[in-house]
Amino acid sequence: MTIEFTTRYRTRSRIPAEPGKPYFIEKGLGDRAHLFGDLVTVYAGGEQTENMFNFFTVEGPKGELIPAHSHPDTYEVFYVTDGAVRLFVEDLEGEQHEKLLTPGDFGFVPKNCAHAYRIERHHSRVVGVAAGPGGTFERFFENLGTPTEELTLPREPHVPAPEKFRTVPQQYDVTFLPGHEWRTGN
């Protein structure tokens, strides 16, 4: 049985819009968006968890560094299930850390810490969970990117116009850090 609800973000969703309803989603059939060269699939978000946490996957090809950003009120985890992802994090004292994560590896990013990642092997997949008192940011992906019903990576990368990056911080707890430099060597 497939549940297909409409949300304010899309005309069709298999995720119930209201909290307190159990549900099941088959692999890949959450709410999907293309952003950069990646396919982001949201399985649970603010609407379902009363803004306590979200659960999503990001999969993509070997590519460029995702822009440096931070989340003022959100903690984020990265768990790699396929391929390899290089995670860059700057702690609150300004010390930069870098780690190549492969299947089974986990990375934690506290709130307010600058971070970015780069997919290092073709068709890598990261499971992401984010939580914090400020709500959840999973709808950022489809608002900055392009919602899609496709189950595949984008044919061409979707790179938002620079002015679009300025529209998301307050609503989605994402602060972009243009010009941020990673001094870790990779």
Side-chain angles (χ1 to χ4, degrees), residues 132-175:
T136 61
F137 66 78
E138 74 285 348
R139 297 303 173 182
F140 153 83
F141 299 115
E142 61 192 11
N143 283 279
L144 190 63
T146 302
T148 184
E149 294 299 321
E150 296 177 22
L151 295 170
T152 59
L153 300 177
R155 289 178 192 84
E156 296 290 324
H158 175 84
V159 180
E163 61 274 4
K164 193 147 187 197
F165 284 95
R166 289 189 291 275
T167 66
V168 297
Q170 292 79 20
Q171 189 174 1
Y172 298 107
D173 194 39
V174 178
T175 302

Side-chain angles (χ1 to χ4, degrees), residues 90-152:
E90 183 173 294
D91 65 27
L92 297 177
E93 287 77 40
E95 185 175 346
Q96 292 189 356
H97 309 269
E98 172 190 330
K99 177 72 175 166
L100 180 66
L101 303 175
T102 58
D105 290 344
F106 174 90
F108 175 73
V109 179
K111 69 180 182 176
N112 286 312
C113 289
H115 59 286
Y117 68 89
R118 181 176 61 225
I119 294 179
E120 298 284 356
R121 293 190 190 137
H122 288 296
H123 213 92
S124 294
R125 180 179 294 126
V126 177
V127 172
V129 176
T136 61
F137 66 78
E138 74 285 348
R139 297 303 173 182
F140 153 83
F141 299 115
E142 61 192 11
N143 283 279
L144 190 63
T146 302
T148 184
E149 294 299 321
E150 296 177 22
L151 295 170
T152 59

Side-chain angles (χ1 to χ4, degrees), residues 32-46:
R32 298 175 299 283
H34 289 150
L35 182 56
F36 305 112
D38 302 338
L39 172 65
V40 179
T41 305
V42 174
Y43 292 91

